[in-house]
Amino acid sequence: MKLIGIAASNRGVMEETIKKIEDQDIKFVLASFSDINGASRAKLVPSARLESVCKSGAGFAGFAVGDLGHGPHDPDLLCIPDLRSMTVLPWKKDIAWFAGTLTEDGSAWEHCSRTILLKVAEKAKKLGYVMKTGIEPEFFLLKQDGDGNLSPFDDLDKEQKPCYQQQALMRNIEFLSSLINNMNELGWGVTQADHEDANGQFEINFDFADAITSSDRLTFFKYMVRSMAEERGLISTFMPKPFSTLTGNGCHMHLSLWDEQEKRNLFEDQFDGKGFGLSDTAYHFIGGILYHAKALSAIVCPTVNSYKRLTAMDSMSGATWAPNIIGYGGNNRTQYIRIPDSGRIEFRAMDGTANPYLATAAILAAGLDGIENKIDPGEAFSGNLYRLQSIENELNRLPSSLKEAVEALEQDKVLISMLGEDFMNTFIARKKEEWAQYHSFVSNWEIEKYLKGY
């Protein structure tokens, strides 16, 4: 697939973008892409050079970024901005951000996570499907003292069950309202914001869109939240479990499949015999996700810390709000896959350290496999799944560690093939290294527990 020049080939789109840049007096653009971990990398380009960058790409030494399939001897990787993703920084209005796709010698680069999502989305489209997603990112707003200790920015936010606490919400109104205004200025359609289950934790909900647009927006959202926090001398984090006793950060994904014209929701069926308002297509999609759940975990929960969120027994509030049983059901937040309404499902395992493009591609790939093979998801679960304990259910549990998840991914030929074997081999190798580094590191907890007592 040749990409050089594609971004600039549509003269109408290019001319419209240039006019926007001139009308809004934009001085610079960020040609940005995501590395293997989902972190944004970019070059700052004078806006007058945008058209040439779209034609020939902004050059990056791939080895300097790490894990992009390049050595120090390889030629530059070229980032081609996607003009449709143009996002003016609300807090710095003379700069525009563009999500980019990496190329080498004019061809799509298989180690680019946005390219991986584009390829899986293209396969889905050939089958007649367009996936739409709505993301619910959670984050902490923190401060750091002189000794480096982190705590919630709001000193009065100390309740045991602070979720939806109105006073805490209003004490943080300056940051939250500024963030919401920025998002609405970008046309994202914020629906609501709330104080979440942990002290210092918040969530912003905004309108759903096609999977690629939503992934671009989540990538920019994380950058925006961090930038706004830094401006105020604060720290924001999407880390899954930053505090031992508090609920962790999830990044729930609501999703559905639509027809090629994006006019008909293929997940919706008002005559569903199970009473959830879902079609057979939706149930097979769920079946695919459940079938690949353990392998998916390595991608949607990709860090050592992720499993301290997934496997936590309880938090100070009394619930972790993270799934641990592989199953699905109705409007029940202990589920792995929740059905909050007809025509859509909520995938609750993903956390904020997941690469948005790679995680979305993996979920879509698993669901498509479910549709292709008509995988039956089985019966829906009900009740409090946190209290469901049995030997049988041990087999239906999510992995308890990154090591276990990576081992499952290594055996999942479908996901490896769909996401690209060369890239997945690199991803798996890096995650094994991450586990080895963690396992060999002596923590303060170990010193305090074992240094004198044994």
Side-chain angles (χ1 to χ4, degrees):
M1 180 167 64
K2 292 288 183 181
L3 289 182
I4 288 290
I6 285 180
S9 62
N10 188 327
R11 286 305 308 168
V13 175
M14 175 58 73
E15 289 171 2
E16 181 182 344
T17 303
I18 291 174
K19 186 175 188 308
K20 285 181 182 178
I21 285 174
E22 291 174 347
D23 290 347
Q24 297 179 52
D25 199 23
I26 292 169
K27 302 292 193 301
F28 297 96
V29 300
L30 287 166
S32 177
F33 69 93
S34 292
D35 65 18
I36 194 171
N37 297 314
S40 294
R41 309 283 184 141
K43 277 194 172 180
L44 188 66
V45 179
S47 58
R49 304 290 296 178
L50 175 62
E51 185 167 5
S52 65
V53 167
C54 286
K55 288 179 179 177
S56 58
F60 292 83
F63 184 72
V65 175
D67 298 326
L68 283 176
H70 262 201
H73 60 289
D74 285 310
D76 279 0
L77 287 170
L78 302 172
C79 177
I80 308 296
D82 186 335
L83 297 179
R84 298 166 299 177
S85 70
M86 177 177 168
T87 307
V88 178
L89 275 57
W91 66 96
K92 185 70 175 169
K93 295 182 186 296
D94 60 347
I95 299 177
W97 176 90
F98 289 88
T101 305
L102 293 178
T103 69
E104 185 187 58
D105 297 329
S107 299
W109 184 237
E110 60 185 2
H111 286 257
C112 171
S113 56
R114 195 171 189 269
T115 292
I116 292 170
L117 176 55
L118 286 166
K119 286 183 175 179
V120 178
E122 183 61 26
K123 177 174 181 177
K125 196 163 188 178
K126 287 179 180 177
L127 296 171
Y129 307 123
V130 173
M131 186 163 86
K132 295 191 177 187
T133 62
I135 314 295
E136 298 178 340
E138 296 172 346
F139 63 93
F140 281 87
L141 198 57
L142 308 174
K143 63 182 177 181
Q144 189 171 32
D145 65 21
D147 296 323
N149 299 311
L150 294 170
S151 61
F153 161 63
D154 182 359
D155 288 330
L156 299 178
D157 192 352
K158 296 180 179 179
E159 289 195 13
Q160 183 175 342
K161 295 177 77 72
C163 200
Y164 311 126
Q165 222 285 343
Q166 183 170 282
Q167 289 297 118
L169 195 65
M170 295 308 295
R171 285 195 299 270
N172 292 272
I173 193 64
E174 188 278 327
F175 184 91
L176 294 173
S177 62
S178 297
L179 177 57
I180 291 168
N181 288 338
N182 286 346
M183 295 168 71
N184 281 334
E185 184 179 317
L186 296 173
W188 292 7
V190 173
T191 57
Q192 58 190 19
D194 64 67
H195 188 296
E196 273 296 317
D197 196 59
N199 308 114
Q201 186 186 42
F202 302 93
E203 178 183 281
I204 311 288
N205 304 148
F206 49 100
D207 285 345
F208 69 93
D210 68 88
I212 295 163
T213 298
S214 286
S215 296
D216 288 341
R217 288 177 177 177
L218 178 57
T219 301
F220 186 84
F221 177 84
K222 293 168 73 173
Y223 165 58
M224 177 163 58
V225 170
R226 286 174 176 143
S227 297
M228 291 178 60
E230 287 176 4
E231 279 188 344
R232 292 159 173 79
L234 305 176
I235 296 171
S236 68
T237 183
F238 298 85
M239 181 179 175
K241 186 74 169 168
F243 300 103
S244 298
T245 60
L246 299 182
T247 305
N249 282 324
C251 192
H252 306 144
M253 178 187 291
H254 293 253
L255 61 98
S256 54
L257 291 186
W258 294 63
D259 63 8
E260 288 183 84
Q261 290 73 39
E262 301 183 31
K263 293 182 178 180
R264 187 166 67 93
N265 184 350
L266 302 179
F267 270 18
E268 193 159 23
D269 183 357
Q270 60 178 320
F271 302 110
D272 175 15
K274 294 186 179 182
F276 294 125
L278 296 182
S279 64
D280 287 345
T281 298
Y283 284 115
H284 292 146
F285 194 97
I286 291 171
I289 294 177
L290 299 183
Y291 181 81
H292 294 282
K294 293 189 178 185
L296 268 176
S297 295
I299 297 172
V300 300
C301 302
T303 66
V304 168
N305 184 255
S306 297
Y307 297 85
K308 297 187 176 181
R309 166 183 170 259
L310 282 185
T311 61
M313 295 301 293
D314 264 328
S315 68
M316 190 173 73
S317 73
T320 67
W321 303 107
N324 49 47
I325 298 287
I326 300 170
Y328 78 101
N331 195 355
N332 176 346
R333 287 180 170 82
T334 66
Q335 298 282 3
Y336 177 69
I337 293 179
R338 168 178 167 249
I339 307 171
D341 200 356
S342 63
R344 64 185 166 107
I345 63 175
E346 179 189 34
F347 181 78
R348 293 182 58 79
M350 192 167 95
D351 67 48
T353 57
N355 179 322
Y357 303 105
L358 186 60
T360 304
I363 292 167
L364 177 55
L368 290 177
D369 185 53
I371 293 173
E372 182 179 352
N373 292 290
K374 293 184 169 26
I375 297 176
D376 184 354
E379 293 302 313
F381 285 100
S382 61
N384 185 349
L385 301 190
Y386 297 151
R387 299 292 177 253
L388 191 62
Q389 304 287 344
S390 72
I391 294 175
E392 180 184 355
N393 286 321
E394 288 301 316
L395 300 176
N396 293 323
R397 289 192 178 276
L398 290 170
S400 61
S401 69
L402 179 62
K403 179 178 183 293
E404 186 182 338
V406 171
E407 287 172 349
L409 178 59
E410 205 168 13
Q411 300 302 313
D412 196 312
K413 303 306 180 187
V414 171
L415 289 185
I416 289 174
S417 175
M418 287 280 282
L419 302 178
E421 187 171 351
D422 192 29
F423 171 82
M424 291 308 296
N425 287 339
T426 299
F427 181 85
I428 289 168
R430 293 301 171 262
K431 290 303 161 183
K432 285 183 175 180
E433 287 178 10
E434 186 173 335
W435 174 260
Q437 289 169 1
Y438 165 73
H439 193 61
S440 63
F441 178 76
V442 179
S443 67
N444 288 335
W445 182 89
E446 292 169 278
I447 292 171
E448 291 175 6
K449 186 170 181 67
Y450 303 127
L451 186 67
K452 297 179 180 178
Y454 283 71

